[in-house]
Amino acid sequence: MNNFTFFSPTKFVFGRGVESRTGGLCKQFGGTKVLLVYGGGSVVKSGLLSRVEASLTEAGIKYVEFGGIQPNPIDTKVYEGIELVRKEGIDFILPVGGGSAIDTAKAIAVGVPYNGDFWDFYVGKAKVTSALPVATVLTIPAAGSEGSGDSVITKIDGMNKLGLGSEHMRPKFSIMNPEITMTLPANQTAYGIVDMMAHIFERYFTNTRDVEVTDRVAEGLLIAIINEAKKVMADPMNYEARANIMWSGTIAHNGLCGVGRQEDWMTHCMEHEVSGLNDKVAHGAGLAVIFPAWMTFMAKHNPYKGAQLAERVFGIEAKGTEEERALKGIEKLKEFFVGTLKMPKTLRELGFEAKDIDELVRKFHQNNGETVEGVYYTMTKEVTRAIYEIAL
């Protein structure tokens, strides 16, 4: 096990009707004027936004609305939000939504006190040293952004989709009411489930040995997610299943599953190029295609963790080679993704063709380096191409 520091200071307020506490919590964490960041009309139509606003008003906190955040959030909305915050003298950022709204809010929060272009942080030209406080009212369990210091934004010029991690972006508090998720479309629920599982896989597939505790945490979470996902997809109004899925998404990405171990994240980077080139592809749908392809390549080249996953999570007998066991586990994962969650199996189903692989490979290595070392398996252009071809 590697040395580690684990720090997860977000205050989670979980349960029925907890959005009524939003105003008091903003006040507790120093907010006096709030930017409400949200996406389309669902938070308006459901009445959630009005309930949050009523709570803010009751607490004596002013607010400014900032809607229109799209899935696969873009830099132009970040620039717009930064300008609005500076103009209005806002001191607290509150996204009401899922990962896209939260990631946009975080980018605004780091961009406001910075004299340069916020994109400098995402391309590594500058390091985050301060940010406006951020909190969340979560509507879609998926990205885990409600409990992490991470944000992913797409820059329209060049269609580069990049991530940033900083403890300065970790939310002060997160409001989590599973009831809010009951009216989510089935595909949105499914995309979220894939995403949270992928967050676990990115940490589970490691070359660090003797990490039995975090292995077991990850495996237990995956088993729970699979079991609860079947209940949620069969009965969207099942509160207990919704609650378990919502909390799983947070634990999957608040850092707990990664302590003491090397993490990978190459599959997320590969998917970012997919949904970066075609912003109609949901992140979860892309991951449902790319992760089994990545695992299939790894079954031949570094099968240890895949075989362990197959045995401990999918119940594959410890017979045959590690590669054989890993491949059987991948088939079980595909059955779950396609059979239960109705996810796509191939890049072709997402609108890609063989001719697109050149561009996917080019963008991946442009954004991550000619050769990416220090991960589960060294990523060269040949490896990246092979994985995309498996996914096709």
Side-chain angles (χ1 to χ4, degrees), residues 30-331:
T32 63
K33 191 172 185 180
V34 169
L35 183 71
L36 288 170
V37 182
Y38 59 95
S42 61
V43 297
V44 177
K45 293 174 184 176
S46 68
L48 174 60
L49 188 65
S50 63
R51 295 197 299 275
V52 170
E53 290 176 341
S55 179
L56 292 171
T57 299
E58 185 179 353
I61 295 175
K62 298 177 182 179
Y63 59 85
V64 176
E65 291 187 8
F66 182 57
I69 307 303
Q70 66 180 58
N72 293 317
I74 55 177
D75 65 321
T76 53
K77 292 299 288 185
V78 177
Y79 292 122
E80 185 181 339
I82 291 170
E83 183 179 350
L84 181 60
V85 168
R86 290 171 175 168
K87 177 184 175 183
E88 294 287 343
I90 287 163
D91 59 13
F92 202 95
I93 315 293
L94 182 68
V96 181
S100 296
I102 300 171
D103 284 8
T104 301
K106 290 176 177 178
I108 294 169
V110 298
V112 169
Y114 180 57
N115 290 328
D117 184 343
F118 89 92
W119 192 246
D120 291 347
F121 298 126
Y122 287 76
V123 296
K125 288 184 179 178
K127 184 176 180 180
V128 177
T129 58
S130 64
L132 291 185
V134 177
T136 82
V137 179
L138 183 66
T139 61
I140 303 176
S145 198
E146 71 279 358
S148 79
D150 299 327
S151 167
V152 177
I153 300 292
T154 297
K155 189 168 185 62
I156 293 298
D157 183 11
M159 294 304 291
N160 285 323
K161 186 174 182 179
L162 298 176
L164 171 68
S166 170
E167 288 300 322
H168 292 282
M169 297 193 299
R170 198 180 285 271
K172 300 299 182 183
F173 68 84
S174 286
I175 297 288
M176 303 174 66
N177 178 358
E179 291 176 312
I180 294 169
T181 71
M182 289 179 174
T183 56
L184 283 174
N187 64 336
Q188 290 289 342
T189 298
Y191 295 151
I193 290 165
V194 173
D195 196 11
M196 64 183 72
M197 291 179 70
H199 290 157
I200 300 168
F201 290 145
E202 297 285 19
R203 295 166 167 104
Y204 187 80
F205 282 85
T206 180
N207 292 318
T208 310
R209 299 283 175 153
D210 301 315
V211 283
E212 183 70 3
V213 172
T214 42
D215 271 359
R216 293 295 186 177
V217 170
E219 291 155 2
L221 268 175
L222 288 166
I223 291 168
I225 291 168
I226 291 168
N227 290 339
E228 297 303 303
K230 293 174 182 177
K231 296 176 187 177
V232 163
M233 299 307 290
D235 178 12
M237 302 305 288
N238 184 328
Y239 175 86
E240 299 301 337
R242 287 283 186 186
N244 278 297
I245 289 293
M246 193 174 222
W247 189 231
S248 293
T250 302
I251 300 173
H253 199 42
N254 75 342
L256 180 62
C257 292
V259 295
R261 60 203 292 146
Q262 169 202 57
E263 299 182 10
D264 191 73
W265 296 101
M266 289 298 95
T267 305
H268 264 71
C269 291
M270 292 188 72
E271 195 292 317
H272 286 168
E273 305 312 334
V274 172
S275 52
L277 287 177
N278 181 358
D279 64 5
K280 292 182 173 59
V281 175
H283 180 51
L287 287 170
V289 171
I290 297 296
F291 232 115
W294 181 91
M295 288 179 174
T296 299
F297 180 91
M298 296 308 157
K300 184 174 183 63
H301 296 88
N302 191 4
Y304 164 62
K305 295 301 285 196
Q308 181 175 294
L309 178 78
E311 294 167 28
R312 294 185 178 184
V313 173
F314 294 105
I316 303 301
E317 290 187 49
K319 295 180 179 179
T321 65
E322 286 185 334
E323 178 182 352
E324 290 169 342
R325 298 198 298 278
L327 289 172
K328 288 179 181 178
I330 295 162
E331 288 307 308

